[in-house]
Amino acid sequence: MYNPYIVIPLATWLISQSIKFGLAALRGELNFKYLYASGGMPSVHSAVVCSLATTALLLDGSSSHIFGFTLIFGAVVMYDSFGVRRSTGEQAVAINMILASLDRDRVKLSTPDMHLREVLGHKPAEVAAGAVLGIVLGLLFNLSYLTTQLNFLSSLPNHWELVTYIGLFALTVVAGWITAVVLRMRYKGSAIMQKVGQAVLSMTQTVGWLGLVVAFGQYQHLPYLLYRGWSGLLLVVLVVWKLALVSKYWSVVPGELNAESEKQRKGKWLGRSKKKRK
């Protein structure tokens, strides 16, 4: 009666909802809706479909029909989470603001207390966190099928793998410096872009130099650094960190830039007015 394609996603759903409830409680939101409702950190939809795809990969292989189906299904669900469903949530916010501003004496609603649910979709960071959680739980629940993969991750990378890792981490370091310099030169005096540049620099230099140290240790056959899994883990950290930065600044930067531009425009206008008075 045990079907891993049902039991593991169900267990992932329970664990993910519990984590969401716990994170909300730590923020001071003791609301039991987080035990069953959608939205929030992490994305339960992403966790469930990723645990399902991971299970299919380990049990049936990468060339199986079921893995192909679960992979495409998971991609569609995750795209919908921060695409269509997020847009629906933003529309609900706008509609609720319109309803709250109506003059109820002049406009009669069939449902006076109407209030649309606003938290429907997810931010990219929430989707990414749910995907990572689902993959990790899928691996843990199928640990008995990971003997070959664990042996692969715990072995020393070959020469060309090592060259590839060195190239990727070196490119990360250089790209981080170039990005920070370009942002500093192009957006002089912009506080928000300076923050973005510092965030990008911190991310790229931390992961890039750690990756180069690990690659050097593998080249020198240093103990505890021989595993190719360390390089893979750092690449995963880089991707997750990048998604978190995009989620944090994507919607903030345009508004901040407009505010700074308006402030500069007013400052120039006031400066001209003072000169004319003199």
Side-chain angles (χ1 to χ4, degrees):
M1 296 296 291
Y2 174 74
N3 188 332
Y5 296 103
I6 296 176
V7 175
I8 291 176
L10 180 60
T12 300
W13 179 81
L14 292 172
I15 294 172
S16 302
Q17 291 286 173
S18 300
I19 292 175
K20 183 190 296 185
F21 174 78
L23 291 176
L26 290 175
R27 296 194 303 266
E29 300 180 48
L30 191 59
N31 194 331
F32 289 98
K33 75 175 184 180
Y34 288 108
L35 289 174
Y36 59 86
S38 61
M41 171 68 83
S43 169
V44 178
H45 288 78
S46 299
V48 170
V49 295
C50 284
S51 69
L52 179 63
T54 303
T55 300
L57 173 64
L58 296 177
L59 269 62
D60 298 282
S62 58
S63 60
S64 64
H65 296 137
I66 186 65
F67 174 66
F69 171 77
T70 55
L71 183 64
I72 299 301
F73 173 70
V76 171
V77 170
M78 288 190 290
Y79 178 78
D80 179 72
S81 294
F82 67 85
V84 178
R85 289 176 56 237
R86 181 163 177 79
S87 298
T88 304
E90 292 173 349
Q91 291 173 6
V93 173
I95 293 173
N96 286 335
M97 292 175 63
I98 294 173
L99 292 175
S101 64
L102 290 177
D103 186 353
R104 299 305 175 91
D105 294 331
R106 298 177 58 187
V107 180
K108 301 298 182 181
L109 299 176
S110 58
T111 309
D113 298 329
M114 179 187 295
H115 183 83
L116 301 178
R117 187 163 177 266
E118 299 176 357
V119 183
L120 295 176
H122 293 279
K123 299 177 181 178
E126 296 170 346
V127 174
V132 172
L133 177 62
I135 292 172
V136 170
L137 290 176
L139 292 174
L140 292 176
F141 283 125
N142 296 285
L143 203 57
S144 59
Y145 295 92
L146 288 173
T147 304
T148 303
Q149 289 79 4
L150 291 175
N151 290 336
F152 174 79
L153 292 175
S154 61
S155 60
L156 182 68
N158 60 42
H159 173 75
W160 290 112
E161 280 184 81
L162 197 56
V163 170
T164 302
Y165 290 140
I166 292 174
L168 286 173
F169 290 122
L171 181 63
T172 299
V173 172
V174 174
W177 278 108
I178 292 176
T179 302
V181 171
V182 169
L183 290 177
R184 189 177 294 114
M185 294 177 63
R186 184 174 180 181
Y187 299 96
K188 292 182 179 179
S190 174
I192 185 63
M193 296 310 295
Q194 296 301 319
K195 288 182 180 180
V196 173
Q198 288 297 325
V200 170
L201 197 61
S202 299
M203 174 188 67
T204 54
Q205 302 311 299
T206 300
V207 177
W209 284 109
L210 279 176
L212 290 175
V213 169
V214 169
F216 176 77
Q218 293 171 345
Y219 178 76
Q220 294 293 330
H221 291 74
L222 296 180
Y224 305 110
L225 292 179
L226 297 177
Y227 315 127
R228 58 162 50 92
W230 287 119
S231 299
L233 179 62
L234 286 173
L235 291 175
V236 171
V237 170
L238 179 64
V239 172
V240 173
W241 198 339
K242 183 178 180 179
L243 289 173
L245 290 182
V246 171
S247 174
K248 180 179 180 180
Y249 291 109
W250 184 264
S251 59
V252 175
V253 168
E256 291 290 334
L257 286 176
N258 289 334
E260 290 175 351
S261 177
E262 184 67 16
K263 186 177 179 180
Q264 291 177 358
R265 188 185 65 80
K266 289 181 179 179
K268 291 180 180 179
W269 183 82
L270 291 174
R272 292 174 183 173
S273 299
K274 290 179 181 180
K275 289 181 180 180
K276 288 181 180 180
R277 289 175 184 175
K278 291 180 180 180

